[in-house]
Amino acid sequence: MPPILPDFSNSVKLKYVKLGYQYLVNHILTLTLIPMMIAIFMEILRLGPEEILNLWHSLHLDLVQILCSAFLIIFIATVYFMSKPRTIYLVDYACFKPPVTCRVPFATFMEHSRLILKDNPKSVEFQMRILERSGLGEETCLPPAIHYIPPKPTMEAARGEAELVIFSAMDSLFDKTGLKPKDIDILIVNCSLFSPTPSLSAMVINKYKLRSNIKSFNLSGMGCSAGLISVDLARDLLQVHPNSNAVVVSTEIITPNYYQGKERAMLLPNCLFRMGGAAILLSNRTSERRRAKYRLVHVVRTHKGADDKAYRCVFEEEDREGKVGISLQKDLMAIAGEALKSNITTMGPLVLPASEQLLFLLTLIGRKIFNPKWKPYIPDFKQAFEHFCIHAGGRAVIDELQKNLQLSTEHVEASRMTLHRFGNTSSSSLWYELNYIESKGRMKKGDRVWQIAFGSGFKCNSAVWKCNRSIKTPVDGPWADCIDRYPVDIPEIVKL
């Protein structure tokens, strides 16, 4: 017997139903106000000028009342604009591109590992397995001191790497923006594992002869998410210092932190971390509004350090032979997932459209009241952002976030390609990813970008930017000579 009613799922494309629902909920205020305004306008037309004039005279307003009302409106407007946070602009940024002489192909890396760990073939085999599955390519770079056999991680070599990376990024930023060193009011440098005396921020001040009254900060020990912490600090400082420019420098110095022991948990960073750095110019000057690339919308920071496991999952310590290294624990991804969950719980209400928030709320109420086994609704963050910059900490990090946030291959393309071309450059990886999106010509005016980073402690930090103008494809930068080759196919395992 043929069905009396048509199959609803086949007769209606459900995606169009969802689009209709999203449009209705997201524009409910507009759809309600427009008919009301039309009705008021039609009523005014019906009354005519004489009746409108009689209505005005019937209000019995004298000069004192009008002046008081005007003063109250001006007072409220003044309080509102004075209490409104200053807009923070990202004028431009520059990423360090390592020289070809620092390139470390897989064959070179494994040859060095075999020579350094010749008495421990199992550790060599472990590093080879990690490298095969890492998602890194053949063009990642390590500093000159690591190319020696054995490596020579001296203080002089570490300072040399810091000068090469930071000064190159700063020089590029000056060229791109026309910024003069004397125009820098605030300087923030973040480098997690290398903290010499004088500090890296003092090194920058000495090199460029910055002003004596500059407000400088040097952040260390804060892991791969320190770049967004620096942005947050710059935002807070720019709120209290009007008409100012802030430069943020994010990097990680590899030279003194290359582990030469046998512990597997400490050998893992050797396979993933590579040279990199970025310099970012932020400003609250209204004169920068037209040429600025982005406007900072939100920064959300989550710290799980109160939990012992989270605190120790990325830990610098000595192994049994007294060699210092960074230990990455097996439960790192689970801890990162919990930190991300807390972060997006705060971020969601700030960025998600009303349609997604309503669905999430209804599902939450249903789980609490009717059936706890209901599948929780995962908000569609693709409704809130056009671009995603996920910290290129490793293939597992990107895979996990793609799965949890239900992102497409294109959404995580910038992260995967950055990991492949440059490796894990720590806190600066987000800026290589943003530059990848720009180099592909995908960034348009009004586009929203979500930067997500994880760091030791354990921290998950997010920043939301809105594109201020359509951005032309850059002719220079770290991707200039290779962007046409990307995206590339990255196999699950690269046999070495």
Side-chain angles (χ1 to χ4, degrees):
M1 181 179 174
I4 298 172
L5 295 173
D7 185 357
F8 182 80
S9 62
N10 292 330
S11 62
V12 178
K13 291 188 179 295
L14 291 178
K15 70 173 183 177
Y16 294 118
V17 174
K18 187 175 181 181
L19 285 172
Y21 159 76
Q22 289 170 351
Y23 186 86
L24 176 65
V25 175
N26 294 341
H27 298 86
I28 189 69
L29 195 61
T30 306
L31 295 172
T32 306
L33 287 175
I34 287 176
M36 291 174 64
M37 290 173 69
I38 293 172
I40 292 168
F41 181 70
M42 294 297 292
E43 183 64 21
I44 290 170
L45 288 178
R46 191 185 65 79
L47 287 173
E50 224 174 277
E51 287 190 43
I52 293 170
L53 198 63
N54 290 335
L55 186 64
W56 172 259
H57 289 312
S58 67
L59 293 175
H60 302 295
L61 293 174
D62 57 22
L63 185 61
V64 175
Q65 289 175 318
I66 294 171
L67 288 174
C68 288
S69 300
F71 174 78
L72 183 62
I73 292 168
I74 293 168
F75 176 76
I76 292 170
T78 303
V79 170
Y80 170 75
F81 285 110
M82 286 183 70
S83 61
K84 189 179 177 183
R86 290 189 174 93
T87 303
I88 308 302
Y89 298 104
L90 192 163
V91 180
D92 213 333
Y93 63 96
C95 297
F96 166 71
K97 185 178 180 182
V100 179
T101 52
C102 293
R103 195 168 68 92
V104 185
F106 292 155
T108 304
F109 184 90
M110 290 313 304
E111 182 186 6
H112 281 227
S113 293
R114 290 187 186 99
L115 290 170
I116 295 167
L117 299 168
K118 58 186 176 183
D119 298 328
N120 199 317
K122 287 188 177 180
S123 294
V124 175
E125 186 183 344
F126 170 76
Q127 284 191 302
M128 185 172 71
R129 288 203 309 271
I130 293 298
L131 204 61
E132 287 176 338
R133 296 163 173 78
S134 64
L136 272 67
E138 297 274 9
E139 296 180 275
T140 61
C141 295
L142 284 171
I146 307 302
H147 288 255
Y148 288 97
I149 301 174
K152 296 183 178 179
T154 63
M155 176 60 76
E156 183 184 3
R159 284 188 183 275
E161 182 193 348
E163 290 172 359
L164 173 64
V165 174
I166 294 173
F167 295 165
S168 298
M170 289 289 290
D171 290 342
S172 181
L173 183 68
F174 288 139
D175 290 341
K176 292 175 78 171
T177 61
L179 182 73
K180 304 296 181 187
K182 64 180 178 62
D183 294 329
I184 301 175
D185 304 287
I186 299 163
L187 174 67
I188 303 169
V189 179
N190 70 264
C191 179
S192 188
L193 294 171
F194 181 56
S195 185
T197 300
S199 66
L200 295 177
S201 60
M203 183 184 80
V204 174
I205 291 169
N206 177 258
K207 165 70 175 178
Y208 296 102
K209 311 305 177 191
L210 302 184
R211 302 197 321 250
S212 61
N213 65 340
I214 190 169
K215 296 162 186 67
S216 68
F217 301 84
N218 199 97
L219 306 183
S220 65
M222 305 201 80
C224 299
S225 66
L228 296 185
I229 295 172
S230 297
V231 168
D232 190 36
L233 175 59
R235 179 190 64 169
D236 291 344
L237 290 167
L238 289 170
Q239 290 300 329
V240 295
H241 297 287
N243 202 37
S244 297
N245 290 322
V247 170
V248 171
V249 179
S250 292
T251 187
E252 192 57 80
I253 304 306
I254 306 295
T255 298
N257 302 297
Y258 193 82
Y259 178 63
Q260 299 182 57
K262 302 173 184 177
E263 291 290 332
R264 292 188 177 188
M266 295 181 176
L267 285 169
L268 193 57
N270 287 3
C271 301
L272 299 175
F273 282 89
R274 297 293 186 266
M275 288 179 80
I280 305 100
L281 173 59
L282 302 172
S283 181
N284 58 15
R285 295 182 178 181
T286 53
S287 59
E288 300 287 8
R289 181 176 58 186
R290 293 181 66 85
R291 72 162 181 156
K293 281 187 171 182
Y294 303 95
R295 175 172 61 84
L296 183 59
V297 183
H298 301 292
V299 178
V300 174
R301 293 168 56 182
T302 302
H303 204 307
K304 290 289 186 177
D307 180 75
D308 291 340
K309 284 187 177 180
Y311 173 69
R312 294 192 65 90
C313 69
V314 180
F315 209 78
E316 185 176 20
E317 58 187 348
E318 294 173 330
D319 65 10
R320 284 171 289 185
E321 296 177 358
K323 294 177 181 178
V324 177
I326 306 297
S327 175
L328 304 181
Q329 299 303 313
K330 291 180 179 179
D331 55 359
L332 175 59
M333 288 311 303
I335 291 165
E338 286 299 313
L340 175 67
K341 183 180 175 182
S342 299
N343 192 269
I344 64 176
T345 301
T346 306
M347 177 65 77
L350 299 174
V351 298
L352 286 171
S355 57
E356 290 300 305
Q357 294 195 47
L358 183 60
L359 281 174
F360 180 79
L361 179 63
L362 292 175
T363 308
L364 185 66
I365 293 171
R367 280 164 56 84
K368 292 287 185 185
I369 298 176
F370 301 109
N371 188 354
K373 293 182 180 179
W374 277 6
K375 188 178 178 182
Y377 179 73
I378 300 172
D380 185 4
F381 279 92
K382 299 186 292 294
Q383 297 290 324
F385 305 106
E386 284 73 34
H387 308 286
F388 296 80
C389 294
I390 299 165
H391 167 53
R395 170 177 263 166
V397 175
I398 301 169
D399 288 347
E400 195 67 22
L401 263 74
Q402 181 180 6
K403 177 185 172 184
N404 289 340
L405 298 177
Q406 299 177 350
L407 303 179
S408 68
T409 303
E410 186 174 330
H411 285 128
V412 296
E413 182 183 309
S415 301
R416 291 196 191 281
M417 297 309 113
T418 296
L419 181 65
H420 181 270
R421 174 61 184 84
F422 297 101
N424 180 352
T425 60
S426 191
S427 59
S428 64
S429 67
L430 299 174
W431 304 105
Y432 288 90
E433 294 166 21
L434 190 61
N435 194 257
Y436 178 89
I437 297 167
E438 291 180 6
S439 298
K440 281 294 183 183
R442 296 172 183 170
M443 192 65 71
K444 308 298 180 189
K445 183 178 180 180
D447 282 3
R448 296 154 298 178
V449 186
W450 188 12
Q451 292 181 321
I452 314 168
F454 300 93
S456 58
F458 190 84
K459 298 179 284 292
C460 175
N461 298 323
S462 293
V464 177
W465 304 89
K466 189 167 186 178
C467 187
N468 203 43
R469 57 179 172 85
S470 290
I471 296 171
K472 295 178 182 178
T473 304
V475 294
D476 56 0
W479 295 97
D481 63 346
C482 63
I483 191 65
D484 294 335
R485 292 191 276 115
Y486 283 90
V488 297
D489 179 58
I490 304 173
E492 287 294 321
I493 300 175
V494 180
K495 280 295 179 184
L496 301 181

